[in-house]
Amino acid sequence: MRGRQRTAIFISGRGSNMGSLIGAARDPYFPAEIALVLSNRPEAEGLSVAKAAGIATAAIDHRIYAGRAAFEGSCQAMLDIHRIDLICLAGFMRMLTPAFVEHWRERMINVHPALLPAYPGLNTHARALADGVKIHGCTVHYVVPEMDAGPIIAQAAVAVLDADTSETLAARVLAQEHVIYPTALRLVASGAARIEGNHVRLEGTGEAPQPLLVPAPRATFSPGE
Ligand code: GAR
């Protein structure tokens, strides 16, 4: 069996997904250990959460670099120092260069707040509401040079309710991000996820869970309906 994969988490903000990964990796049998949290924004709230959890942190302010390649050079140096095997992007709001993505090919994953390939990019919840979809969700995928694309490892679907605002919908989706991201990292770090072209084959996936139907069908009817 291979050892626990040394994992870096890249963040830009509050880091709630980072928190869910740190929580999962507290289990000594989880196949990844969180060895570094790196932020391109020194003021990111997630950095203090990581520090408090006793994890090494790095603040690499992209604004002081002449370009993306120079910024990524500093990130790569930090990854080398900490002997990182895998990268999890968790609310990391910088595009990465094709060279960096290529270097980490099949070793870097991302969580996105939509059911890809629907709604790549920003403002996913507002766009889903504007389109009137009844089901929305989140995706964990391998990172490829194209934004919010790449082989899909895990997805979760949530119902969209009539009363939803972007905020309420975002909260419902985020709760599921916190469930599927540790699951996806477990599958990748353990070697159970195998990439075949644009597909990720998952060893040991059990039976299909119940479908999500929105609205839920009624079993009985009352007069006048
Ligand atoms: C999450 O909803 C994540 O899916 C999204 O940013 C949020 C970060 O929250 N990522 C993207 O939009 C990337 N395209 P967090 O900092 O609390 O994990």
Side-chain angles (χ1 to χ4, degrees), residues 27 32 85 89 92 141 156 179 183:
D27 183 331
D85 302 306
L89 306 181
F92 184 69
H141 62 96
V179 177
T183 302

Side-chain angles (χ1 to χ4, degrees), residues 11-19 89-93 110-114 121-125 138-139 147-148 170 173-174 177-178:
I11 63 169
S12 298
R14 79 193 147 178
S16 71
N17 277 291
M18 172 205 77
L89 306 181
F92 184 69
M93 303 313 259
N110 178 48
V111 64
H112 180 74
L122 298 174
N123 304 319
T124 54
H125 309 305
C138 49
T139 302
M147 192 184 63
D148 300 328
V173 171
L174 187 66
E177 293 181 39
H178 297 164

Side-chain angles (χ1 to χ4, degrees), residues 123-186:
N123 304 319
T124 54
H125 309 305
R127 286 156 59 209
L129 285 175
D131 284 346
V133 298
K134 298 285 186 220
I135 293 177
H136 184 48
C138 49
T139 302
V140 180
H141 62 96
Y142 284 98
V143 177
V144 295
E146 301 75 45
M147 192 184 63
D148 300 328
I152 291 171
I153 305 158
Q155 292 188 303
V158 304
V160 179
L161 307 178
D162 281 348
D164 267 331
T165 62
S166 304
E167 289 73 29
T168 60
L169 184 54
R172 195 173 309 114
V173 171
L174 187 66
Q176 298 312 313
E177 293 181 39
H178 297 164
V179 177
I180 63 167
Y181 212 174
T183 302
L185 176 57
R186 173 176 63 77

Side-chain angles (χ1 to χ4, degrees), residues 54-210:
I55 294 167
T57 60
I60 302 181
D61 189 342
H62 66 273
R63 289 165 295 195
I64 68 168
Y65 290 89
R68 283 180 200 274
F71 163 69
E72 290 170 2
S74 284
C75 295
Q76 184 60 51
M78 202 53 80
L79 296 166
D80 290 340
I81 287 169
H82 289 275
R83 305 186 321 278
I84 296 301
D85 302 306
L86 294 174
I87 299 175
C88 291
L89 306 181
F92 184 69
M93 303 313 259
R94 294 290 298 165
M95 279 296 284
L96 294 163
T97 63
F100 186 88
V101 172
E102 194 52 47
H103 181 76
W104 286 93
R105 190 190 178 87
E106 305 192 0
R107 297 183 296 151
M108 178 159 60
I109 64 179
N110 178 48
V111 64
H112 180 74
L115 287 171
L116 292 173
Y119 307 116
L122 298 174
N123 304 319
T124 54
H125 309 305
R127 286 156 59 209
L129 285 175
D131 284 346
V133 298
K134 298 285 186 220
I135 293 177
H136 184 48
C138 49
T139 302
V140 180
H141 62 96
Y142 284 98
V143 177
V144 295
E146 301 75 45
M147 192 184 63
D148 300 328
I152 291 171
I153 305 158
Q155 292 188 303
V158 304
V160 179
L161 307 178
D162 281 348
D164 267 331
T165 62
S166 304
E167 289 73 29
T168 60
L169 184 54
R172 195 173 309 114
V173 171
L174 187 66
Q176 298 312 313
E177 293 181 39
H178 297 164
V179 177
I180 63 167
Y181 212 174
T183 302
L185 176 57
R186 173 176 63 77
L187 293 166
V188 169
S190 69
R194 210 162 25 84
I195 303 178
E196 278 176 24
N198 198 36
H199 289 80
V200 178
R201 309 286 176 205
L202 302 174
E203 256 172 43
T205 312
E207 282 169 31
Q210 286 300 309

